[in-house]
Amino acid sequence: MSTNEVRSNDATSVASVARVDMKLEIVVIPVSDVDRAKEFYRRLGWRLDADFASGDDFRVIQFTPPGSGCSVIFGKNVTAALPGSAQGLYLIVSNIEAARDELLGHGVEISEVFHDAGGVYAGTDEPYLFGRLRVSGLDPEHRSYRLFASFSDPDGNGWLLQEITTRLPGRIDAAATSFGSASDLASALRRAEAAHGQHEKRTGQRDANWPDWYAAYMVAEQAGTKLPT
């Protein structure tokens, strides 16, 4: 049995015994200039949830990325961490090229799309999931989890976009299918359409029951279970 299989089985067994929901709600990021940080995250198109101050000694600002169940907060006297010390903050997207183009449109400096070099964990690049050597361009197999792009806020807090189109088994509730935004849903429909086109080529006939096939494909893709053929 491979390490990946062990990890997937562990994730599934742990999920089966969990009883109390513990939802990650807030990530605190340290900044030096609160108003500069507020303008940066506003420019990303994130939702401003709060800007609360108590005198001159305390201020907290909360933003939520589109489609995210977790928010970020920063401000004055909300953390003792050094500005810029938050690294490896992942934003999951279903289409990394579209997400990167959107950030570029907001005036954000962002890296080219990159993928890993096959488990190389030493090198001059900043570390990220799957290694420390970044290979420019799309993953040749366009695998889920394997495409990235990185950017930083004005203080140097480091963010990475990661494209995930198919979840590994055990990562989500197979009985619950949801999409964070209309854009995510549209991307899932496009992938289902492309796969269904291949399905019709294999069968050599039009599938009049395509809505059910689309639905089965999208649910299985999100849950990380076997895709329809």
Side-chain angles (χ1 to χ4, degrees), residues 171-185:
R171 295 326 192 253
I172 64 170
D173 183 355
T177 303
S178 63
F179 297 93
S181 66
S183 175
D184 279 356
L185 175 58

Side-chain angles (χ1 to χ4, degrees), residues 28-48:
V28 180
I29 54 176
V31 303
S32 59
D33 186 320
V34 178
D35 287 315
R36 181 180 66 175
K38 179 181 178 181
E39 173 56 24
F40 176 82
Y41 287 101
R42 183 201 62 77
R43 189 155 43 92
L44 296 185
W46 295 10
R47 186 184 72 229
L48 175 63

Side-chain angles (χ1 to χ4, degrees), residues 4 14 28 35 38 40 59 67 73 96 106 150 152 155-156 165 187 190-191 198 208 214-215 227:
N4 286 339
V14 170
V28 180
D35 287 315
K38 179 181 178 181
F40 176 82
R59 184 181 177 190
I73 66 172
I96 198 163
H106 292 315
S150 62
S152 298
D155 283 287
T165 54
S187 293
R190 291 188 186 97
R191 293 192 298 274
Q198 295 300 314
Y214 272 42
L227 297 173

Side-chain angles (χ1 to χ4, degrees), residues 73-90:
I73 66 172
F74 54 86
K76 185 176 182 180
N77 287 331
V78 298
T79 176
L82 293 175
S85 61
Q87 300 296 320
L89 301 166
Y90 282 77

Side-chain angles (χ1 to χ4, degrees), residues 42-226:
R42 183 201 62 77
R43 189 155 43 92
L44 296 185
W46 295 10
R47 186 184 72 229
L48 175 63
D49 297 323
D51 185 348
F52 172 78
S54 179
D56 296 328
D57 296 325
F58 179 79
R59 184 181 177 190
V60 61
I61 293 175
Q62 177 173 318
F63 277 96
T64 303
S68 176
C70 182
S71 303
V72 299
I73 66 172
F74 54 86
K76 185 176 182 180
N77 287 331
V78 298
T79 176
L82 293 175
S85 61
Q87 300 296 320
L89 301 166
Y90 282 77
L91 297 166
I92 304 308
V93 298
S94 60
N95 185 324
I96 198 163
E97 292 178 292
R100 180 178 180 275
D101 287 343
E102 181 174 313
L103 290 180
L104 285 172
H106 292 315
V108 177
E109 292 186 13
I110 185 169
S111 75
E112 297 292 333
V113 173
F114 64 89
H115 62 280
D116 66 282
V120 178
Y121 295 98
T124 58
D125 296 334
E126 293 180 12
Y128 64 100
L129 287 178
F130 300 111
R132 197 179 175 112
L133 186 61
R134 302 181 177 193
V135 180
S136 182
L138 298 177
D139 174 53
E141 301 174 47
H142 211 122
R143 293 169 293 174
S144 187
Y145 291 92
R146 297 289 179 152
L147 289 177
F148 302 87
S150 62
F151 67 95
S152 298
D153 70 10
D155 283 287
N157 294 302
W159 293 89
L160 290 107
L161 301 181
Q162 182 184 22
E163 182 180 278
I164 298 179
T165 54
T166 302
R167 294 280 181 177
L168 292 172
R171 295 326 192 253
I172 64 170
D173 183 355
T177 303
S178 63
F179 297 93
S181 66
S183 175
D184 279 356
L185 175 58
S187 293
L189 284 166
R190 291 188 186 97
R191 293 192 298 274
E193 179 188 30
H196 187 260
Q198 295 300 314
H199 165 71
E200 288 184 325
K201 285 182 180 180
R202 286 191 297 270
T203 61
Q205 59 185 6
R206 180 181 179 275
D207 178 16
N209 197 35
W210 64 267
D212 287 347
W213 199 98
Y214 272 42
Y217 184 93
M218 292 164 67
V219 170
E221 181 187 59
Q222 191 173 90
T225 55
K226 185 178 179 181

